[in-house]
Amino acid sequence: MTNRTIYKINLAPTLGSRFQPTGFPDLSAAVFERHGGASETADALLVESVQSMANWAERATWDHATDAQIPLLDGLPYLRVRAEDGSFLTSSRLEAHRLASAYIMDGTIDGTNGEAWFGSEFGLVKGTPLNHRRLAAVICRLDPLSLVHGVFFARGKWPWQPKVARALTCFIEADGVRQAISGGVKKDSVDSEGGNTNTGYGMVPHQRVEFTATSITAFASIDHDQIRAYGLGEAGEELLVAIAEFELATLFSGGLRLRTACDLEVSDPEASGVPSLATAGKRVVRAISAAGDLLGPVVDVTWAARSVQAK
């Protein structure tokens, strides 16, 4: 049996009873039937997907006002992508593919192309098995959050395409859902009848579909077996678990405002099992300090648009 820590966190709308779930192209809201017995079904809804919650969890480590990691996590490394003039562009914490971001792979690190630099760090050799422990050690040294949330290096030039699964999985579902349909109109105070509505003129009525639910639950899992398999030792294992718990504590310590019309809060914080933000913060600070040589410095990557155009 897999050794995991499981959390079930009861949520409720902060304002009123309606909420807006995540939507998908050509699908809209992800409504499904949950089977409760031999013939019992109930309408359920995916409020927030696994991939979206991973992005929210990583965002808990980042200060958008300063384009930098939050001060509490000083000592944790990440890759910072800059333009040629030195201005900040993005980072491995903000990119959907994390360390495998195109801005990193197509950028330069210490004067070397990012893709070639990573290939050398990973020790990839054709005809030789992928060294998973070396892979984990390099990723930990560069940005351990890619070991928490997963990363996939789909590089056709490499003899291997290294992939790390998520060690922290989180998503939000709702049960007993019903549509709450409303609408509105975009007004034109100058010319209500004329003008091209495609360019912003005229009166434009619109429909809005939100939902109500009998219950909303966030589910989270930390896979300790996967973390131990990285081969980072006790200090490395403690670091990754501490990071995961800190992210969960940050997400669920207050209001979880996923969208304008999806503002949720924890109904019963003590029953969730998630540590308090103060406790999780102290733990992650201790873990960073104890990690020692497992962690490297913040690495700067220079990305130039012309390097992509030349390909």
Side-chain angles (χ1 to χ4, degrees):
M1 180 178 293
T2 302
N3 179 20
R4 292 176 294 171
T5 300
I6 305 294
Y7 302 94
K8 294 182 180 180
I9 307 155
N10 295 323
L11 304 173
T14 302
L15 301 172
S17 57
R18 294 170 295 149
F19 61 93
Q20 180 187 30
T22 187
F24 299 90
D26 302 321
L27 177 63
S28 189
V31 179
F32 62 96
E33 288 188 345
R34 190 188 301 283
H35 292 271
S39 59
E40 295 180 2
T41 61
D43 289 335
L45 175 69
L46 177 61
V47 179
E48 204 72 8
S49 67
V50 169
Q51 59 270 28
S52 179
M53 287 304 294
N55 294 336
W56 280 107
E58 285 180 296
R59 197 172 299 180
T61 72
W62 195 257
D63 183 357
H64 286 275
T66 61
D67 288 331
Q69 181 173 246
I70 62 173
L72 181 75
L73 300 181
D74 282 350
L76 277 186
Y78 61 92
L79 266 62
R80 178 172 51 204
V81 183
R82 297 187 182 276
E84 290 181 290
D85 63 4
S87 60
F88 176 83
L89 292 176
T90 185
S91 79
S92 55
R93 300 288 177 80
L94 303 176
E95 285 297 293
H97 296 292
R98 302 181 180 88
L99 288 175
S101 163
Y103 294 100
I104 294 173
M105 292 293 110
D106 290 335
T108 58
I109 303 172
D110 296 330
T112 302
N113 168 261
E115 183 178 43
W117 188 88
F118 267 84
S120 175
E121 291 290 313
F122 290 156
L124 303 179
V125 179
K126 186 176 182 180
T128 301
L130 178 64
N131 188 330
H132 293 279
R133 287 188 293 276
R134 175 171 176 171
L135 175 72
V138 171
I139 292 174
C140 187
R141 176 166 52 82
L142 296 173
D143 190 346
L145 268 72
S146 283
L147 294 177
V148 174
H149 297 292
V151 61
F152 179 29
F153 296 91
R155 314 307 300 179
K157 295 180 181 179
W158 290 359
W160 299 96
Q161 282 72 54
K163 185 175 184 178
V164 177
R166 301 181 197 278
L168 170 61
T169 302
C170 184
F171 56 88
I172 301 175
E173 293 181 348
D175 285 301
V177 298
R178 294 290 185 271
Q179 287 189 351
I181 301 175
S182 61
V185 62
K186 175 264 174 187
K187 294 183 178 180
D188 189 325
S189 58
V190 176
D191 186 354
S192 62
E193 297 181 356
N196 185 347
T197 57
N198 290 331
T199 57
Y201 296 96
M203 305 286 280
V204 183
H206 59 85
Q207 185 186 60
R208 185 181 187 89
V209 179
E210 296 170 304
F211 285 82
T212 61
T214 56
S215 65
I216 306 172
T217 308
F219 299 88
S221 167
I222 301 175
D223 191 330
H224 298 279
D225 283 348
Q226 178 177 321
I227 291 173
R228 186 165 53 252
Y230 293 148
L232 299 172
E234 291 184 5
E237 293 171 26
E238 170 62 14
L239 174 69
L240 297 181
V241 173
I243 290 172
E245 287 199 346
F246 174 76
E247 290 181 335
L248 292 176
T250 303
L251 283 176
F252 298 110
S253 63
L256 184 61
R257 194 166 188 240
L258 303 174
R259 281 167 293 280
T260 300
C262 192
D263 195 351
L264 306 174
E265 61 184 8
V266 179
S267 302
D268 188 354
E270 293 185 1
S272 70
V274 176
S276 70
L277 185 55
T279 299
K282 291 177 182 178
R283 181 179 182 181
V284 77
V285 168
R286 289 194 303 268
I288 293 170
S289 178
D293 293 340
L294 289 173
L295 303 176
V298 174
V299 174
D300 279 323
V301 181
T302 301
W303 183 84
R306 66 174 184 275
S307 65
V308 178
Q309 296 169 356
K311 285 193 170 185

